[in-house]
Amino acid sequence: MTIEELKEMFCDMQDKGLSPLLCDTEIPKYDVGVPCGEPLMAADPSTEYAWIPRELLSMNPEFMITVKGDSMKDAGIVAGDMVKIVGDMLPSDGDIVLACIDSEYTLKSYCEDEEGMRWLVPQNERFNPILLDDKSNVRIVGVVSEVIKRTPRVSYKQCMRVVNKWKLSQAAPLKISKKQIAETIKQIAPMIDVARQWYAVYRAFVDKSVVSLKDYDTFIEMVVEVVPQHPCLPSRTELNRMAVQSFAKPVQKWTPGDAPVKGKRFADYQRIAIRTEELLMMEA
């Protein structure tokens, strides 16, 4: 990208109400998990650098560290995050500080208790607070001014799950003819032994967009029109009574352990529903 293209992009972002900042200044980046000397000293040639906008720098010396461990996870700082440290600052209660303990660096929250004693407090109950007294070999190096999170990644499967769900929602619904609906009801009717079993047919009709969810009246009218002499015609009461547990979901999500009927009766309902779907799809 050229300088002119970058300027044009910045102007476009500003026109849209955004406030972009250019990462134009290097500051040293250290590894917090490795014992080392004073981080504010001149770095050797192998020191890595991070680029940040000049506007975000203060008058105090600043540097970046990469976090290791999980002692600050409850404060939202986890392994792999980067934090910007401002040196030569006196911390206030609640500040997150970089402290040097026996030549090793760690991030902790700083506070003073009611007795005036100073503490370094982890934000993870698995770790204990550290008292800063005359016997402690502890030095506060600086205060955290900014946390830069790791670049998040999402799995390919998760992305495709969202894409496929959207594609499915955009697909044109199948148009099943009245003739095919009537033929389906006629062929399914001999499989129905009790009125409640019509629920399996109704649920398959809902899944294939033949009728709307809870539109029992339309479904009943369809059945009565095709097989008016059937000995076990559906009713609103019976259909509604079966729309519970996994039966309230699409047929493909029915489970024998979470259904209003068990054993062979569950298998019968499932068989009727699946056969209904197959018959509906024959013409489509």
Side-chain angles (χ1 to χ4, degrees):
M1 179 178 290
T2 66
I3 295 296
E4 292 304 319
E5 289 174 333
L6 185 62
K7 289 180 179 179
E8 184 178 348
M9 183 182 69
F10 269 44
C11 290
D12 183 58
M13 294 172 70
Q14 289 169 346
D15 290 342
K16 291 178 171 58
L18 302 176
S19 301
L21 295 175
L22 180 64
C23 295
D24 56 359
T25 305
E26 286 184 320
I27 61 173
K29 182 177 71 172
Y30 298 91
D31 189 336
V32 72
V34 179
C36 57
E38 170 60 62
L40 302 183
M41 294 171 58
D44 60 48
S46 63
T47 300
E48 294 184 15
Y49 287 84
W51 289 85
I52 66 171
R54 185 182 304 275
E55 294 88 340
L56 299 182
L57 294 175
S58 68
M59 297 300 293
N60 298 67
E62 299 182 2
F63 56 94
M64 304 288 290
I65 59 173
T66 302
V67 176
K68 290 185 177 180
D70 61 354
S71 68
M72 296 298 291
K73 71 178 184 66
D74 293 340
I77 301 176
V78 298
D81 290 346
M82 292 183 63
V83 293
K84 184 171 71 174
I85 306 295
V86 180
D88 296 342
M89 285 186 66
L90 293 176
S92 302
D93 287 343
D95 281 346
I96 297 176
V97 301
L98 174 66
C100 183
I101 304 175
D102 295 327
S103 298
E104 294 198 13
Y105 292 91
T106 184
L107 289 179
K108 295 291 183 288
S109 298
Y110 172 89
C111 74
E112 294 185 17
D113 62 21
E114 61 276 6
E115 298 174 358
M117 303 179 72
R118 300 184 304 150
W119 295 86
L120 294 178
V121 184
Q123 299 302 312
N124 183 336
E125 61 183 12
R126 294 196 300 106
F127 295 82
N128 297 319
I130 301 168
L131 174 63
L132 301 181
D133 56 17
D134 294 337
K135 300 177 183 179
S136 304
N137 184 20
V138 178
R139 177 168 50 91
I140 295 177
V141 178
V143 176
V144 173
S145 64
E146 186 178 353
V147 179
I148 302 175
K149 305 298 291 183
R150 291 176 298 176
T151 302
R153 289 189 60 82
V154 178
S155 71
Y156 173 79
K157 287 184 178 180
Q158 185 174 343
C159 290
M160 292 311 301
R161 191 179 301 118
V162 175
V163 170
N164 290 333
K165 183 177 180 181
W166 181 86
K167 285 181 178 179
L168 187 61
S169 69
Q170 300 300 305
L174 292 173
K175 293 183 179 180
I176 302 175
S177 68
K178 290 183 178 181
K179 178 182 177 181
Q180 189 66 22
I181 293 170
E183 184 63 26
T184 297
I185 293 173
K186 189 180 298 183
Q187 292 195 42
I188 284 292
M191 300 174 64
I192 304 297
D193 297 323
V194 294
R196 289 185 184 181
Q197 287 181 330
W198 282 108
Y199 179 81
V201 183
Y202 156 78
R203 184 66 239 194
F205 275 29
V206 171
D207 293 353
K208 296 303 180 183
S209 301
V210 175
V211 296
S212 302
L213 186 65
K214 298 293 184 181
D215 187 3
Y216 300 131
D217 292 337
T218 298
F219 173 73
I220 293 170
E221 289 174 4
M222 289 178 175
V223 175
V224 172
E225 183 179 351
V226 177
V227 288
Q229 303 303 319
H230 195 282
C232 305
L233 290 172
S235 69
R236 284 183 58 86
T237 301
E238 296 295 344
L239 293 173
N240 193 54
R241 186 174 296 171
M242 298 303 295
V244 296
Q245 297 174 275
S246 67
F247 272 25
K249 303 175 183 178
V251 174
Q252 297 300 321
K253 295 186 178 181
W254 287 6
T255 55
D258 182 34
V261 292
K262 306 297 180 184
K264 181 181 180 304
R265 289 196 297 162
F266 172 82
D268 289 340
Y269 275 80
Q270 190 175 51
R271 178 170 53 86
I272 292 170
I274 292 174
R275 182 55 180 161
T276 300
E277 292 184 344
E278 291 173 349
L279 291 171
L280 287 172
M281 300 304 293
M282 280 186 177
E283 183 182 57

mmCIF file of all heavy atoms in Angstrom, residues 58-96:
data_model
loop_
_atom_site.group_PDB
_atom_site.id
_atom_site.type_symbol
_atom_site.label_atom_id
_atom_site.label_comp_id
_atom_site.label_asym_id
_atom_site.label_seq_id
_atom_site.Cartn_x
_atom_site.Cartn_y
_atom_site.Cartn_z
ATOM 1 N N SER A 58 3.323 8.405 26.383
ATOM 2 C CA SER A 58 3.385 9.429 27.422
ATOM 3 C C SER A 58 4.807 9.980 27.491
ATOM 4 O O SER A 58 5.682 9.588 26.721
ATOM 5 C CB SER A 58 2.997 8.818 28.771
ATOM 6 O OG SER A 58 3.990 7.893 29.196
ATOM 7 N N MET A 59 5.053 10.854 28.451
ATOM 8 C CA MET A 59 6.395 11.413 28.625
ATOM 9 C C MET A 59 7.309 10.439 29.346
ATOM 10 O O MET A 59 8.520 10.588 29.336
ATOM 11 C CB MET A 59 6.304 12.724 29.420
ATOM 12 C CG MET A 59 5.519 13.820 28.714
ATOM 13 S SD MET A 59 6.232 14.263 27.108
ATOM 14 C CE MET A 59 7.778 14.983 27.649
ATOM 15 N N ASN A 60 6.744 9.428 29.992
ATOM 16 C CA ASN A 60 7.545 8.441 30.716
ATOM 17 C C ASN A 60 8.040 7.356 29.764
ATOM 18 O O ASN A 60 7.438 7.123 28.714
ATOM 19 C CB ASN A 60 6.709 7.791 31.819
ATOM 20 C CG ASN A 60 6.250 8.794 32.853
ATOM 21 O OD1 ASN A 60 5.445 9.664 32.557
ATOM 22 N ND2 ASN A 60 6.741 8.676 34.058
ATOM 23 N N PRO A 61 9.124 6.678 30.137
ATOM 24 C CA PRO A 61 9.601 5.579 29.287
ATOM 25 C C PRO A 61 8.552 4.471 29.217
ATOM 26 O O PRO A 61 7.894 4.163 30.210
ATOM 27 C CB PRO A 61 10.875 5.103 30.008
ATOM 28 C CG PRO A 61 10.730 5.578 31.414
ATOM 29 C CD PRO A 61 9.967 6.866 31.343
ATOM 30 N N GLU A 62 8.399 3.881 28.042
ATOM 31 C CA GLU A 62 7.392 2.846 27.842
ATOM 32 C C GLU A 62 7.998 1.664 27.103
ATOM 33 O O GLU A 62 8.950 1.815 26.343
ATOM 34 C CB GLU A 62 6.199 3.399 27.052
ATOM 35 C CG GLU A 62 5.493 4.549 27.742
ATOM 36 C CD GLU A 62 4.288 5.038 26.950
ATOM 37 O OE1 GLU A 62 4.001 4.450 25.884
ATOM 38 O OE2 GLU A 62 3.641 5.997 27.401
ATOM 39 N N PHE A 63 7.419 0.485 27.343
ATOM 40 C CA PHE A 63 7.841 -0.716 26.637
ATOM 41 C C PHE A 63 6.691 -1.714 26.670
ATOM 42 O O PHE A 63 5.714 -1.540 27.406
ATOM 43 C CB PHE A 63 9.118 -1.314 27.254
ATOM 44 C CG PHE A 63 9.004 -1.620 28.722
ATOM 45 C CD1 PHE A 63 8.634 -2.882 29.164
ATOM 46 C CD2 PHE A 63 9.260 -0.629 29.669
ATOM 47 C CE1 PHE A 63 8.518 -3.156 30.509
ATOM 48 C CE2 PHE A 63 9.157 -0.900 31.028
ATOM 49 C CZ PHE A 63 8.781 -2.173 31.455
ATOM 50 N N MET A 64 6.811 -2.750 25.848
ATOM 51 C CA MET A 64 5.782 -3.783 25.757
ATOM 52 C C MET A 64 6.323 -5.095 26.313
ATOM 53 O O MET A 64 7.519 -5.383 26.201
ATOM 54 C CB MET A 64 5.360 -3.999 24.298
ATOM 55 C CG MET A 64 4.876 -2.760 23.580
ATOM 56 S SD MET A 64 3.266 -2.197 24.134
ATOM 57 C CE MET A 64 2.221 -3.513 23.489
ATOM 58 N N ILE A 65 5.418 -5.892 26.901
ATOM 59 C CA ILE A 65 5.790 -7.246 27.316
ATOM 60 C C ILE A 65 4.704 -8.208 26.851
ATOM 61 O O ILE A 65 3.547 -7.831 26.688
ATOM 62 C CB ILE A 65 5.967 -7.370 28.842
ATOM 63 C CG1 ILE A 65 4.676 -6.980 29.569
ATOM 64 C CG2 ILE A 65 7.143 -6.544 29.334
ATOM 65 C CD1 ILE A 65 4.731 -7.234 31.057
ATOM 66 N N THR A 66 5.098 -9.446 26.618
ATOM 67 C CA THR A 66 4.146 -10.499 26.274
ATOM 68 C C THR A 66 3.841 -11.305 27.532
ATOM 69 O O THR A 66 4.752 -11.736 28.234
ATOM 70 C CB THR A 66 4.724 -11.430 25.191
ATOM 71 O OG1 THR A 66 5.061 -10.654 24.048
ATOM 72 C CG2 THR A 66 3.717 -12.498 24.793
ATOM 73 N N VAL A 67 2.585 -11.499 27.813
ATOM 74 C CA VAL A 67 2.162 -12.131 29.064
ATOM 75 C C VAL A 67 2.318 -13.641 28.990
ATOM 76 O O VAL A 67 2.027 -14.272 27.976
ATOM 77 C CB VAL A 67 0.690 -11.775 29.364
ATOM 78 C CG1 VAL A 67 0.197 -12.490 30.611
ATOM 79 C CG2 VAL A 67 0.547 -10.267 29.518
ATOM 80 N N LYS A 68 2.765 -14.214 30.096
ATOM 81 C CA LYS A 68 2.780 -15.660 30.279
ATOM 82 C C LYS A 68 2.045 -15.980 31.571
ATOM 83 O O LYS A 68 2.006 -15.178 32.483
ATOM 84 C CB LYS A 68 4.212 -16.195 30.354
ATOM 85 C CG LYS A 68 4.977 -16.132 29.047
ATOM 86 C CD LYS A 68 6.328 -16.791 29.180
ATOM 87 C CE LYS A 68 7.084 -16.789 27.853
ATOM 88 N NZ LYS A 68 8.407 -17.439 27.971
ATOM 89 N N GLY A 69 1.472 -17.179 31.652
ATOM 90 C CA GLY A 69 0.774 -17.582 32.865
ATOM 91 C C GLY A 69 -0.649 -17.049 32.918
ATOM 92 O O GLY A 69 -1.102 -16.307 32.042
ATOM 93 N N ASP A 70 -1.374 -17.425 33.977
ATOM 94 C CA ASP A 70 -2.790 -17.063 34.084
ATOM 95 C C ASP A 70 -3.149 -16.427 35.418
ATOM 96 O O ASP A 70 -4.297 -16.476 35.839
ATOM 97 C CB ASP A 70 -3.665 -18.299 33.844
ATOM 98 C CG ASP A 70 -3.414 -19.412 34.866
ATOM 99 O OD1 ASP A 70 -2.479 -19.272 35.688
ATOM 100 O OD2 ASP A 70 -4.152 -20.421 34.842
ATOM 101 N N SER A 71 -2.177 -15.814 36.095
ATOM 102 C CA SER A 71 -2.465 -15.228 37.406
ATOM 103 C C SER A 71 -3.349 -13.993 37.319
ATOM 104 O O SER A 71 -3.893 -13.542 38.328
ATOM 105 C CB SER A 71 -1.164 -14.870 38.137
ATOM 106 O OG SER A 71 -0.495 -13.811 37.485
ATOM 107 N N MET A 72 -3.538 -13.431 36.099
ATOM 108 C CA MET A 72 -4.376 -12.232 35.942
ATOM 109 C C MET A 72 -5.582 -12.492 35.045
ATOM 110 O O MET A 72 -6.179 -11.569 34.511
ATOM 111 C CB MET A 72 -3.530 -11.092 35.366
ATOM 112 C CG MET A 72 -2.400 -10.631 36.268
ATOM 113 S SD MET A 72 -2.991 -9.978 37.842
ATOM 114 C CE MET A 72 -3.771 -8.462 37.304
ATOM 115 N N LYS A 73 -5.962 -13.760 34.906
ATOM 116 C CA LYS A 73 -7.034 -14.097 33.964
ATOM 117 C C LYS A 73 -8.366 -13.464 34.333
ATOM 118 O O LYS A 73 -9.160 -13.111 33.461
ATOM 119 C CB LYS A 73 -7.180 -15.615 33.864
ATOM 120 C CG LYS A 73 -7.772 -16.308 35.072
ATOM 121 C CD LYS A 73 -7.913 -17.794 34.842
ATOM 122 C CE LYS A 73 -8.607 -18.482 36.016
ATOM 123 N NZ LYS A 73 -10.006 -18.067 36.166
ATOM 124 N N ASP A 74 -8.640 -13.299 35.639
ATOM 125 C CA ASP A 74 -9.921 -12.713 36.045
ATOM 126 C C ASP A 74 -9.982 -11.210 35.779
ATOM 127 O O ASP A 74 -11.048 -10.600 35.891
ATOM 128 C CB ASP A 74 -10.191 -12.991 37.531
ATOM 129 C CG ASP A 74 -10.426 -14.472 37.798
ATOM 130 O OD1 ASP A 74 -10.753 -15.197 36.840
ATOM 131 O OD2 ASP A 74 -10.276 -14.907 38.949
ATOM 132 N N ALA A 75 -8.837 -10.624 35.431
ATOM 133 C CA ALA A 75 -8.802 -9.217 35.010
ATOM 134 C C ALA A 75 -8.825 -9.113 33.490
ATOM 135 O O ALA A 75 -8.682 -8.025 32.932
ATOM 136 C CB ALA A 75 -7.577 -8.518 35.577
ATOM 137 N N GLY A 76 -8.985 -10.261 32.825
ATOM 138 C CA GLY A 76 -9.064 -10.266 31.365
ATOM 139 C C GLY A 76 -7.724 -10.278 30.673
ATOM 140 O O GLY A 76 -7.638 -10.047 29.470
ATOM 141 N N ILE A 77 -6.638 -10.549 31.424
ATOM 142 C CA ILE A 77 -5.297 -10.603 30.833
ATOM 143 C C ILE A 77 -4.835 -12.050 30.864
ATOM 144 O O ILE A 77 -4.709 -12.644 31.938
ATOM 145 C CB ILE A 77 -4.308 -9.711 31.603
ATOM 146 C CG1 ILE A 77 -4.795 -8.258 31.605
ATOM 147 C CG2 ILE A 77 -2.916 -9.798 30.992
ATOM 148 C CD1 ILE A 77 -3.918 -7.326 32.424
ATOM 149 N N VAL A 78 -4.596 -12.625 29.685
ATOM 150 C CA VAL A 78 -4.248 -14.037 29.600
ATOM 151 C C VAL A 78 -2.965 -14.219 28.802
ATOM 152 O O VAL A 78 -2.461 -13.283 28.175
ATOM 153 C CB VAL A 78 -5.402 -14.841 28.943
ATOM 154 C CG1 VAL A 78 -6.665 -14.760 29.783
ATOM 155 C CG2 VAL A 78 -5.689 -14.326 27.532
ATOM 156 N N ALA A 79 -2.443 -15.441 28.851
ATOM 157 C CA ALA A 79 -1.193 -15.752 28.157
ATOM 158 C C ALA A 79 -1.297 -15.401 26.678
ATOM 159 O O ALA A 79 -2.289 -15.712 26.022
ATOM 160 C CB ALA A 79 -0.857 -17.231 28.333
ATOM 161 N N GLY A 80 -0.271 -14.753 26.156
ATOM 162 C CA GLY A 80 -0.241 -14.358 24.754
ATOM 163 C C GLY A 80 -0.630 -12.915 24.515
ATOM 164 O O GLY A 80 -0.307 -12.345 23.481
ATOM 165 N N ASP A 81 -1.344 -12.300 25.490
ATOM 166 C CA ASP A 81 -1.673 -10.880 25.364
ATOM 167 C C ASP A 81 -0.399 -10.054 25.499
ATOM 168 O O ASP A 81 0.593 -10.494 26.086
ATOM 169 C CB ASP A 81 -2.644 -10.449 26.469
ATOM 170 C CG ASP A 81 -4.033 -11.041 26.283
ATOM 171 O OD1 ASP A 81 -4.313 -11.554 25.190
ATOM 172 O OD2 ASP A 81 -4.820 -10.987 27.239
ATOM 173 N N MET A 82 -0.442 -8.853 24.951
ATOM 174 C CA MET A 82 0.662 -7.908 25.148
ATOM 175 C C MET A 82 0.152 -6.732 25.971
ATOM 176 O O MET A 82 -0.998 -6.308 25.798
ATOM 177 C CB MET A 82 1.209 -7.416 23.812
ATOM 178 C CG MET A 82 1.911 -8.491 23.006
ATOM 179 S SD MET A 82 2.615 -7.814 21.474
ATOM 180 C CE MET A 82 3.812 -6.663 22.138
ATOM 181 N N VAL A 83 1.002 -6.241 26.884
ATOM 182 C CA VAL A 83 0.623 -5.079 27.690
ATOM 183 C C VAL A 83 1.691 -3.997 27.549
ATOM 184 O O VAL A 83 2.879 -4.287 27.420
ATOM 185 C CB VAL A 83 0.429 -5.439 29.180
ATOM 186 C CG1 VAL A 83 -0.771 -6.346 29.366
ATOM 187 C CG2 VAL A 83 1.670 -6.086 29.766
ATOM 188 N N LYS A 84 1.236 -2.752 27.545
ATOM 189 C CA LYS A 84 2.159 -1.622 27.487
ATOM 190 C C LYS A 84 2.413 -1.147 28.906
ATOM 191 O O LYS A 84 1.478 -0.896 29.680
ATOM 192 C CB LYS A 84 1.583 -0.496 26.640
ATOM 193 C CG LYS A 84 2.550 0.676 26.464
ATOM 194 C CD LYS A 84 2.036 1.667 25.435
ATOM 195 C CE LYS A 84 0.855 2.440 25.957
ATOM 196 N NZ LYS A 84 0.436 3.515 25.028
ATOM 197 N N ILE A 85 3.678 -1.019 29.258
ATOM 198 C CA ILE A 85 4.077 -0.613 30.600
ATOM 199 C C ILE A 85 4.623 0.806 30.556
ATOM 200 O O ILE A 85 5.471 1.135 29.719
ATOM 201 C CB ILE A 85 5.166 -1.547 31.176
ATOM 202 C CG1 ILE A 85 4.704 -3.014 31.120
ATOM 203 C CG2 ILE A 85 5.533 -1.146 32.599
ATOM 204 C CD1 ILE A 85 3.518 -3.331 31.985
ATOM 205 N N VAL A 86 4.146 1.658 31.454
ATOM 206 C CA VAL A 86 4.697 3.002 31.625
ATOM 207 C C VAL A 86 5.572 2.983 32.862
ATOM 208 O O VAL A 86 5.102 2.713 33.971
ATOM 209 C CB VAL A 86 3.575 4.047 31.777
ATOM 210 C CG1 VAL A 86 4.179 5.435 31.956
ATOM 211 C CG2 VAL A 86 2.658 4.025 30.564
ATOM 212 N N GLY A 87 6.865 3.239 32.680
ATOM 213 C CA GLY A 87 7.791 3.201 33.799
ATOM 214 C C GLY A 87 7.801 4.501 34.594
ATOM 215 O O GLY A 87 7.216 5.512 34.196
ATOM 216 N N ASP A 88 8.475 4.463 35.742
ATOM 217 C CA ASP A 88 8.653 5.650 36.599
ATOM 218 C C ASP A 88 7.319 6.241 37.039
ATOM 219 O O ASP A 88 7.161 7.468 37.107
ATOM 220 C CB ASP A 88 9.472 6.730 35.865
ATOM 221 C CG ASP A 88 10.877 6.264 35.561
ATOM 222 O OD1 ASP A 88 11.321 5.287 36.197
ATOM 223 O OD2 ASP A 88 11.518 6.860 34.695
ATOM 224 N N MET A 89 6.340 5.382 37.307
ATOM 225 C CA MET A 89 5.039 5.852 37.789
ATOM 226 C C MET A 89 4.737 5.241 39.146
ATOM 227 O O MET A 89 5.018 4.070 39.389
ATOM 228 C CB MET A 89 3.911 5.468 36.815
ATOM 229 C CG MET A 89 3.847 6.295 35.562
ATOM 230 S SD MET A 89 2.379 5.861 34.580
ATOM 231 C CE MET A 89 1.073 6.408 35.688
ATOM 232 N N LEU A 90 4.191 6.061 40.050
ATOM 233 C CA LEU A 90 3.745 5.540 41.338
ATOM 234 C C LEU A 90 2.357 4.942 41.151
ATOM 235 O O LEU A 90 1.441 5.630 40.690
ATOM 236 C CB LEU A 90 3.712 6.652 42.385
ATOM 237 C CG LEU A 90 5.062 7.239 42.783
ATOM 238 C CD1 LEU A 90 4.867 8.396 43.762
ATOM 239 C CD2 LEU A 90 5.948 6.159 43.406
ATOM 240 N N PRO A 91 2.162 3.666 41.503
ATOM 241 C CA PRO A 91 0.859 3.038 41.276
ATOM 242 C C PRO A 91 -0.186 3.493 42.293
ATOM 243 O O PRO A 91 0.146 3.870 43.424
ATOM 244 C CB PRO A 91 1.160 1.546 41.447
ATOM 245 C CG PRO A 91 2.318 1.501 42.396
ATOM 246 C CD PRO A 91 3.151 2.718 42.064
ATOM 247 N N SER A 92 -1.429 3.478 41.879
ATOM 248 C CA SER A 92 -2.563 3.744 42.759
ATOM 249 C C SER A 92 -3.294 2.435 43.015
ATOM 250 O O SER A 92 -3.097 1.440 42.313
ATOM 251 C CB SER A 92 -3.515 4.758 42.116
ATOM 252 O OG SER A 92 -2.839 5.967 41.832
ATOM 253 N N ASP A 93 -4.140 2.439 44.030
ATOM 254 C CA ASP A 93 -4.909 1.232 44.337
ATOM 255 C C ASP A 93 -5.685 0.771 43.114
ATOM 256 O O ASP A 93 -6.386 1.558 42.463
ATOM 257 C CB ASP A 93 -5.898 1.498 45.475
ATOM 258 C CG ASP A 93 -5.196 1.625 46.823
ATOM 259 O OD1 ASP A 93 -4.037 1.192 46.917
ATOM 260 O OD2 ASP A 93 -5.807 2.144 47.770
ATOM 261 N N GLY A 94 -5.534 -0.523 42.790
ATOM 262 C CA GLY A 94 -6.245 -1.094 41.656
ATOM 263 C C GLY A 94 -5.461 -1.105 40.369
ATOM 264 O O GLY A 94 -5.863 -1.774 39.409
ATOM 265 N N ASP A 95 -4.355 -0.368 40.300
ATOM 266 C CA ASP A 95 -3.519 -0.395 39.103
ATOM 267 C C ASP A 95 -2.908 -1.788 38.926
ATOM 268 O O ASP A 95 -2.582 -2.472 39.899
ATOM 269 C CB ASP A 95 -2.383 0.630 39.201
ATOM 270 C CG ASP A 95 -2.840 2.045 38.900
ATOM 271 O OD1 ASP A 95 -3.953 2.196 38.374
ATOM 272 O OD2 ASP A 95 -2.085 2.988 39.202
ATOM 273 N N ILE A 96 -2.755 -2.184 37.674
ATOM 274 C CA ILE A 96 -2.018 -3.404 37.378
ATOM 275 C C ILE A 96 -0.582 -3.012 37.098
ATOM 276 O O ILE A 96 -0.328 -2.123 36.284
ATOM 277 C CB ILE A 96 -2.635 -4.143 36.179
ATOM 278 C CG1 ILE A 96 -4.066 -4.568 36.519
ATOM 279 C CG2 ILE A 96 -1.800 -5.366 35.800
ATOM 280 C CD1 ILE A 96 -4.800 -5.208 35.373
#
